[in-house]
Amino acid sequence: MRTVRISLAAVVAAAATGLAVPSAQAAAPTGADRGHVQTRAAVHAAVAGGIPGVLAQAHDAHGTWHGDAGVADLTTRRAPLPGDRFRAGSISKTFIATVLLQLEAEGRLRLSDTVEKWLPGVVRGHGHDGRRISLRRLLNHTSGVYDYTEDPGLHLQGKQYLAHRYDTWRPEQLVALAMKHKPNFAPGTSWGYTTTEYVLAAMVIERATGHGYAAEAERRIFQPLGLHATTLPGTRSRLPAPSGRMYTKFADAPRHEVHDITEFNPSWAWSAGEIVTSTADLDRFLAALMRGKLLPKAQLDEMTTTVPSPDFGDGQDDGLGIFRAELPCGKVIWGHTGFMPGSQSMAYTTRDGRHRLVANFNTDWAGDGDAAGYLLLAEFCGTVPPSSTAAGSVVVP
């Protein structure tokens, strides 16, 4: 299974494709826009471009809107449902950062603490040195730690994944895979998105609390917010009902046939990407986070203090478990995207939490096209999408 990096450079590039991108003032909802006309068009354009199904939820001053297009299941042909669960991938990282910042607010750790302090001897080998890496560098991707998902021993690349989809991995094994390689760069000297960092962050949560990271996330976030559709499945391979199916293609497979990849053991992603949730739950989480219901002001300010993320292109910076993106219309949004086999998701909000968009595509080949970028532009900028958004010059990789 290919490793996918998330970029909003595509959204900025969209301004150069000849699309109508209004100014920030012009993009404000009007009476004619309250039905999310452009967003609805972008959802349907994604399906017209080859994505099986799309599920979206937006919230603004006029209330909550649900949208869907295509099918949740290619066999039964049933439509996506607003309550459908899906794998949200790296959106998990925003939850992990929130828990770690809560622990800082409680005085149980400091972001300036080294990884070595909490996980002695774990980050060592081939130039890695946990004594030089702070917890903050884990959260903003400036640690330089190698990404274990790039190691061929994980069997994520290509059709071989089918034979390993139910393998179980422990977090210590995942980190050990990373330690077999040299760091990407010296801590603090550059930026690079690395899954290993958030596995380490969750290991620190467990060491600091004496509890599993999933139990802490449930106690601190899921239960207080009533996120009843959100789970951290561990090694469980099935999605809870209601849910649709998830589809993938393998670059090394003949004729690039479509595979149903819904069931697999997500332990290889662990804290960095295993979350299962719904659009409503992610929307509620975003609103609570940005309105200060989960973090004190000092920690929320830390979360939203950014560093450049040059690998992801112009217009996007990295905070702690959350990205800041400035769209071509001038609107600034905060959030995260997530890929898992057969699934692409995104969850974004304005800084005040008043305007939000959550969406899921039930395939990972959506990342080979521009559907996600145009959906963001449609909702936050009022951009009219092209008739098909599966391919072209705008790419959210």
Side-chain angles (χ1 to χ4, degrees), residues 215-245:
E216 287 296 315
E218 183 172 353
R219 181 177 70 85
R220 293 168 174 272
I221 301 175
F222 301 175
Q223 291 179 355
L225 297 184
L227 306 186
H228 302 302
T230 303
T231 58
L232 295 164
T235 61
R236 296 191 299 277
S237 61
R238 293 182 177 272
L239 288 178
S243 61
R245 309 300 293 175

Side-chain angles (χ1 to χ4, degrees), residues 169-212:
W169 290 86
R170 299 190 309 276
E172 295 80 8
Q173 292 176 300
L174 301 175
V175 175
L177 285 180
M179 295 303 104
K180 292 166 52 180
H181 303 267
K182 294 180 179 179
N184 295 325
F185 50 82
T189 63
S190 187
W191 183 92
Y193 188 89
T194 303
T195 306
T196 314
E197 292 163 319
Y198 275 76
V199 170
L200 290 166
M203 291 172 70
V204 170
I205 289 171
E206 295 194 338
R207 186 65 60 88
T209 64
H211 304 122

Side-chain angles (χ1 to χ4, degrees), residues 306-327:
T306 63
V307 296
S309 52
D311 292 356
F312 284 6
D314 295 334
Q316 184 172 213
D317 296 315
D318 187 13
L320 305 183
I322 197 166
F323 286 90
R324 176 191 183 275
E326 183 171 353
L327 303 182

Side-chain angles (χ1 to χ4, degrees), residues 269-303:
W270 201 51
S271 58
E274 70 168 310
I275 199 166
V276 172
T277 187
S278 68
T279 55
D281 273 15
L282 285 181
D283 177 77
R284 189 176 300 127
F285 169 67
L286 280 179
L289 180 63
M290 285 305 183
R291 292 172 179 174
K293 294 183 179 180
L294 292 172
L295 293 173
K297 182 180 184 304
Q299 276 66 43
L300 187 55
D301 287 347
E302 283 189 290
M303 174 177 266

Side-chain angles (χ1 to χ4, degrees), residues 44-304:
H44 285 276
V47 172
I51 294 170
V54 184
L55 188 61
Q57 177 174 322
H59 182 92
D60 60 16
H62 305 289
T64 300
W65 169 85
H66 298 276
D68 66 84
V71 297
D73 187 320
L74 288 172
T75 301
T76 67
R77 311 301 296 180
R78 86 147 169 92
L81 301 173
D84 276 350
R85 274 71 161 172
F86 51 84
R87 302 186 192 274
S90 288
I91 295 174
S92 302
K93 294 178 173 67
T94 310
F95 287 83
I96 295 303
T98 300
V99 173
L100 205 64
L101 284 164
Q102 287 179 343
L103 292 174
E104 184 199 46
E106 295 164 8
R108 302 173 73 170
L109 54 75
R110 297 179 180 179
L111 293 188
S112 58
D113 289 346
T114 65
V115 175
E116 180 72 13
K117 174 180 177 178
W118 290 101
L119 305 172
V122 172
V123 180
R124 294 287 179 88
H126 294 89
H128 287 96
D129 188 348
R131 296 170 298 184
R132 301 178 58 200
I133 300 172
S134 68
L135 302 185
R136 179 177 283 104
R137 295 206 185 286
L138 293 181
L139 297 185
N140 67 14
H141 300 295
T142 58
S143 74
V145 171
Y146 185 84
D147 191 340
Y148 70 82
T149 65
E150 303 291 343
D151 189 288
L154 205 62
H155 306 293
L156 290 182
Q157 309 301 326
K159 197 173 180 179
Q160 65 173 323
Y161 180 68
L162 292 174
H164 295 276
R165 65 196 291 182
Y166 298 113
D167 291 354
T168 293
W169 290 86
R170 299 190 309 276
E172 295 80 8
Q173 292 176 300
L174 301 175
V175 175
L177 285 180
M179 295 303 104
K180 292 166 52 180
H181 303 267
K182 294 180 179 179
N184 295 325
F185 50 82
T189 63
S190 187
W191 183 92
Y193 188 89
T194 303
T195 306
T196 314
E197 292 163 319
Y198 275 76
V199 170
L200 290 166
M203 291 172 70
V204 170
I205 289 171
E206 295 194 338
R207 186 65 60 88
T209 64
H211 304 122
Y213 99 91
E216 287 296 315
E218 183 172 353
R219 181 177 70 85
R220 293 168 174 272
I221 301 175
F222 301 175
Q223 291 179 355
L225 297 184
L227 306 186
H228 302 302
T230 303
T231 58
L232 295 164
T235 61
R236 296 191 299 277
S237 61
R238 293 182 177 272
L239 288 178
S243 61
R245 309 300 293 175
M246 298 162 51
Y247 302 98
T248 193
K249 299 176 183 179
F250 297 102
D252 60 351
R255 298 181 300 279
H256 302 301
E257 64 266 24
V258 174
H259 292 268
D260 185 322
I261 199 71
T262 309
E263 282 86 28
F264 62 86
N265 183 334
S267 61
W268 63 264
W270 201 51
S271 58
E274 70 168 310
I275 199 166
V276 172
T277 187
S278 68
T279 55
D281 273 15
L282 285 181
D283 177 77
R284 189 176 300 127
F285 169 67
L286 280 179
L289 180 63
M290 285 305 183
R291 292 172 179 174
K293 294 183 179 180
L294 292 172
L295 293 173
K297 182 180 184 304
Q299 276 66 43
L300 187 55
D301 287 347
E302 283 189 290
M303 174 177 266
T304 53

